[in-house]
Structures are given as structure tokens and as C-alpha cells.
Amino acid sequence: GYDLDAFYLSAKEVGGDYFDLIPIDKSKLGVIVADVSGKGIQGAMIMTIMRTVMNIAAIGNLSCKNCLGRTNRFLSDRIKRGMFVTAFYVILDCRKHKLSFSSAGHNPMLIYRAATKKIELFNPTGIALGFDKGPLFERTLKEAEAELNPGDRFVLYTDGVVESMNEEHEEFTDKRFEDFVIDNAEEDSKTFIHKLVAELKKHQGKAPQHDDITIVTFRRKVLAK
């Protein structure tokens, strides 16, 4: 009952963004997008560790907060001082059409509401992974829920999207991104991402890509009557 697609483009040969789809049980899927503060080999190594831990912690775990907390405890002992990882983790219940989610200092999740043709922003409190070994991270991290109706779309992304710069050092901006989502939310997810990437390239022009770009989007299908 869902149409989904994802896109990743590294700014350098080795990137520091990460996204994953993690089967939790027969009806629930974990969806994560993350961004490490450091780039290059060190950033990629941290994301490799995070992917491994997330996939272990997520199986059968219906709490986004617990899953990120377990990942943070492992990661914080192995991350270089001054480095950190922001992440947004969603559990999609495909039968009940419900989302539960937590944000570790990441960009907000966008949900386009087909009924109103407007966007809602969701970003429960939380600090990035790697800053604190446990108590502060787990005390700060919150978990929230939302429902998806037919035609609704949610979008996860990294800051390389909204901070994409042109030759005049002007960012793409949150506003332009949100306007794009509203104007294109009813496209299939593959077309939605294709058009968004084209829009980012148009804005960037001849300027070099300065940050990794990651986009993951799901749309609840409108079933024929």
C-alpha cells in the first residue's frame, strides 16, 4: 500500500550520509536517515558502525527512542571527540498506517497532507548521537506518532538538500524545499525524487556540491474504488 523511493549523492568520493530500510517484523518497517559531522574515511567508518548497530537494535524493537538509545551507547564509545551523528528514525506500521519516530538533532520530517494540500513538520526533541554516553541523550530524546491517510507523503532528508548552494552562495532553503513538496507530492515517489534532484541541480548551477544529499520518501497509495 505504499510507493517509495530514495536517493543518495555523495559530495566526495567517500560520503558521510546514511539511509536504510530495516524490516522489523511482518508489518513494520524501520526507516532511517542520518548525517555524520565528519566527512571522508572517518565519517564513512562511523556510518558503517552505526548501520550495523541499528540493524541489530531495530529487529523486533518497536521503540524508536530505545533503538537510538542503544545505538548511541555503542557509538559514543567509538566516535572521535568532536564528531557526532544526527539521525531521524521512523517506524512505519503498514497495516495501521501509523508512524512512530524520534529525532537525534536532525532536520524535521515533512508530512504532506493530501486532504488539505499542506505540510506538517515533525521534529521531537533530541540531541545528536555521540555527544553523550547515555543519560543526557536518553533523557532528551522524545518519541512521537502520526497517522498517514491515503495520498499522504512523508519525506526524510539530510541538510545537503536545503543547504545546497549556488554560485552566489545562496542556499536552496527550507521554504523552497517545502514549496516543492507541496507542488509535487502527488507524483509517484520515483518522479518526485527525480524532479527534486533536477531542481537542486538547477539551483546549484556550476557551483560544486558542498555536502552529501540524501532523500527518502514514502506515499500512502490512494486505492481505486
Side-chain angles (χ1 to χ4, degrees), residues 89-158:
Y89 181 51
V90 175
I91 296 176
L92 168 63
D93 187 324
C94 298
R95 288 181 182 165
K96 296 181 179 179
H97 306 294
K98 288 185 177 181
L99 303 175
S100 57
F101 47 90
S102 293
S103 174
H106 199 72
N107 302 81
M109 173 176 65
L110 276 64
I111 295 184
Y112 169 83
R113 298 298 189 184
T116 61
K117 299 187 184 302
K118 293 182 179 179
I119 278 179
E120 294 180 21
L121 300 179
F122 295 85
N123 202 10
T125 59
I127 62 173
L129 297 102
F131 275 135
D132 173 75
K133 292 184 182 296
L136 177 62
F137 180 88
E138 293 171 22
R139 188 167 63 247
T140 306
L141 194 68
K142 304 298 180 184
E143 188 165 346
E145 294 184 343
E147 292 189 16
L148 291 177
N149 296 309
D152 288 354
R153 173 186 296 283
F154 73 89
V155 187
L156 300 176
Y157 59 100
T158 55

Side-chain angles (χ1 to χ4, degrees), residues 19 24 32 35 38 63 80 95 107 109 140 142 163 180 184:
F19 79 89
I24 297 172
I32 185 166
D35 184 4
S63 169
K80 183 180 177 182
R95 288 181 182 165
N107 302 81
M109 173 176 65
T140 306
K142 304 298 180 184
E163 295 177 4
F180 174 89
N184 295 275

